[in-house]
């Protein structure tokens, strides 16, 4: 690949072109873009966030009766460093305004309320790993690690985002993970292990700077400006949705995350695995099956009643006989007789 260095400009056609000093990091950013574009499709910001947050993930504008969480983007002023929050609703109508900001972050999480506190987090839609100080050769190593079956050293991400000096690896889940407190602790344990496994001297110029940010950490939005200013973050589709079990498979048993999911999601999984049961018990609301017992039990208890029943226990004995009749498939007519 041609690695000739160029100067890079953001040009306003109404003004004279500005001048910049030589920026090697900008060249590295462009080279990483070329490497990724040669192997994977580039995804627009709208398609990226629609994939992370499928339709129905958030409340619709003006429909609080949906009773769902929303995304929360944070716009950070470069000068004052003050933060302004923006709610992201189901139609993603806020994206154009957000992507026009110089510094805006968004976590792949839905929240109740307007606070990004961990206690307000509702669903985690993707696990995101931030690998920093990634050059062309480091990126090539990373791609080989999950592309080559003979290596298989890291889980294949759903998206790789060229974030500037590094990359963001997005692992979008097949089903969002409930952000219970214990789930957050388990996911953080998993995230720390994966970052430690992936962020090495082979994938970064500064392996000693590795850190696993928290589960609710926000990341610069795809399509927004990079920290370097001249370019925008680009997302490339590198894989499919994943499960926690898949990610656990790369921890060699050292950081297996044990996740609890709501009953509704477990029921959806049961629908896929046991469609006949789901149709019979959930859709048609049929009663559960029962054991069928030989009539010997009924006949034995009937003999006990005839020979041993005492005053004060007659109705209890008849109740038991009716129960045994039901279990032993004795008809109501025979029972009454």
């Amino acid at each position: 690949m041609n690695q000739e260095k160029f100067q890079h400009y953001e040009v306003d056609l109404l003004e004279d072109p500005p001048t910049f000093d030589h920026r090697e990091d900008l060249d590295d950013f462009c080279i990483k873009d070329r490497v990724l574009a040669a192997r994977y499709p580039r995804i627009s910001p709208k398609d990226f966030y629609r994939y992370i947050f499928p339709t129905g993930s958030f409340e619709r504008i003006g429909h609080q009766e949906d009773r769902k969480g929303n995304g929360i983007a944070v716009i950070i002023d470069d000068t004052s460093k003050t933060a302004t929050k923006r709610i992201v609703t189901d139609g993603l109508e806020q994206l154009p305004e957000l992507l026009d900001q110089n510094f805006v972050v968004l976590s792949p999480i839905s929240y109740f309320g307007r606070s990004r506190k961990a206690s307000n987090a509702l669903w985690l839609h993707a696990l995101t790993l931030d690998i920093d100080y990634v050059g062309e050769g480091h990126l090539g190593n990373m791609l080989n690690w999950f592309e080559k079956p003979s290596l298989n050293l890291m889980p294949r991400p759903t998206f790789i985002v060229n974030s500037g000096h590094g990359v963001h690896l997005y692992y979008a889940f097949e089903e969002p993970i409930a952000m219970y407190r214990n789930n957050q602790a388990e996911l953080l344990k998993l995230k720390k292990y994966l970052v430690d496994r992936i962020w090495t001297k082979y994938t970064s110029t500064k392996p000693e700077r590795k850190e696993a940010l928290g589960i609710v950490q926000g990341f610069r939005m795809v399509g927004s400006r990079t920290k370097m200013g001249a370019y925008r973050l680009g997302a490339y589709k590198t894989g499919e949705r994943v499960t926690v079990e898949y990610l656990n498979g790369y921890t060699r048993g050292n950081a297996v995350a044990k996740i609890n999911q709501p009953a509704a999601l477990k029921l959806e999984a049961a629908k896929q695995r046991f469609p006949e049961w789901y149709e019979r018990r959930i859709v048609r609301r049929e009663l559960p099956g029962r054991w069928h017992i030989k009539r010997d039990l009924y006949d034995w208890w009937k003999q006990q009643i005839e020979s041993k029943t005492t005053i004060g226990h007659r109705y209890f004995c008849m109740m038991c006989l009716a129960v045994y009749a039901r279990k032993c498939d004795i008809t109501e007519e025979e029972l009454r007789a």
Side-chain angles (χ1 to χ4, degrees):
M1 179 178 293
N2 183 6
Q3 298 191 31
E4 181 181 359
K5 304 297 183 182
F6 297 91
Q7 286 186 321
H8 303 277
Y9 306 103
E10 256 192 331
V11 178
D12 184 340
L13 297 180
L14 299 179
E15 300 178 359
D16 294 331
T19 58
F20 291 112
D21 294 332
H22 175 70
R23 290 287 301 276
E24 184 175 359
D25 52 358
L26 298 184
D27 294 324
D28 288 341
F29 178 88
C30 291
I31 291 172
K32 287 188 292 184
D33 252 356
R34 294 190 202 113
V35 170
L36 289 167
R39 300 163 93 152
Y40 307 107
R42 184 172 177 129
I43 307 298
S44 71
K46 180 69 175 290
D47 290 341
F48 173 83
Y49 285 108
R50 185 79 289 166
Y51 192 97
I52 297 296
F53 303 115
T55 301
S57 298
F58 301 150
E59 283 185 356
R60 296 166 295 165
I61 289 182
H63 290 271
Q64 293 185 346
E65 71 274 11
D66 288 345
R67 298 186 63 83
K68 294 181 178 180
N70 288 304
I72 300 179
V74 179
I75 302 169
I76 301 173
D77 185 88
D78 290 332
T79 304
S80 65
K81 303 303 179 182
T82 56
T84 305
K85 297 172 185 174
R86 291 284 189 275
I87 297 297
V88 180
T89 50
D90 199 53
L92 306 179
E93 296 89 350
Q94 299 79 12
L95 284 190
E97 175 199 356
L98 292 173
L99 298 182
D100 196 41
Q101 307 299 319
N102 286 332
F103 188 3
V104 57
V105 299
L106 178 67
S107 58
I109 295 173
S110 62
Y111 294 87
F112 272 140
R114 302 183 65 87
S115 173
R116 293 175 64 249
K117 296 185 300 183
S119 58
N120 285 11
L122 183 60
W123 298 104
L124 178 70
H125 292 261
L127 185 68
T128 309
L129 309 184
D130 182 8
I131 312 298
D132 214 348
Y133 312 108
V134 178
E136 177 189 6
H138 303 112
L139 177 61
N141 287 338
M142 198 179 297
L143 300 184
N144 287 335
W145 280 11
F146 66 78
E147 282 185 345
K148 291 187 176 181
S150 59
L151 295 178
N152 198 31
L153 295 174
M154 61 175 276
R156 176 184 284 270
T158 311
F159 296 97
I160 293 182
V161 175
N162 187 9
S163 60
H165 296 117
V167 295
H168 298 160
L169 308 179
Y170 279 80
Y171 294 91
F173 291 119
E174 291 182 359
E175 297 288 348
I177 305 299
M179 290 293 276
Y180 302 142
R181 182 178 298 179
N182 61 311
N183 281 355
Q184 292 189 36
E186 292 292 308
L187 288 165
L188 182 58
K189 179 174 66 174
L190 174 63
K191 181 175 182 177
K192 286 181 177 179
Y193 187 90
L194 291 175
V195 167
D196 189 62
R197 181 183 178 92
I198 296 171
W199 191 337
T200 72
K201 64 180 180 180
Y202 302 106
T203 59
S204 171
T205 58
K206 298 181 179 180
E208 73 282 358
R209 297 285 297 275
K210 71 176 66 175
E211 59 177 337
L213 303 173
I215 293 299
V216 298
Q217 177 69 34
F219 298 89
R220 285 180 183 262
M221 291 184 64
V222 169
S224 69
R225 297 177 187 273
T226 66
K227 187 182 298 184
M228 298 175 294
Y231 295 104
R232 295 180 180 270
L233 281 75
Y236 296 85
K237 181 73 160 45
T238 53
E240 303 302 322
R241 295 185 182 275
V242 304
T243 62
V244 172
E245 289 72 24
Y246 170 73
L247 298 178
N248 277 337
Y250 287 83
T251 68
R252 300 176 181 174
N254 293 313
V256 175
K258 299 177 181 178
I259 300 300
N260 295 317
Q261 288 287 73
L265 288 183
K266 294 179 181 178
L267 190 61
E268 182 63 26
K271 178 181 178 181
Q272 303 300 323
R273 296 183 60 188
F274 310 109
E276 294 180 0
W277 172 89
Y278 186 89
E279 177 68 23
R280 174 169 49 83
R281 293 284 286 113
I282 305 302
V283 178
R284 299 201 298 267
R285 296 183 179 276
E286 295 181 4
L287 294 175
R290 58 184 176 83
W291 287 350
H292 295 270
I293 303 172
K294 293 191 298 182
R295 68 171 295 137
D296 297 30
L297 175 64
Y298 175 83
D299 292 336
W300 167 79
W301 184 249
K302 183 180 176 184
Q303 292 174 359
Q304 297 297 309
I305 291 176
E306 293 173 346
S307 62
K308 298 182 179 180
T309 299
T310 60
I311 294 176
H313 299 90
R314 290 173 299 173
Y315 289 106
F316 175 78
C317 290
M318 290 304 296
M319 181 194 70
C320 289
L321 185 65
V323 171
Y324 290 152
R326 179 77 172 111
K327 288 184 174 293
C328 298
D329 297 319
I330 304 299
T331 65
E332 184 178 348
E333 291 75 13
E334 181 178 351
L335 173 66
R336 287 182 177 276

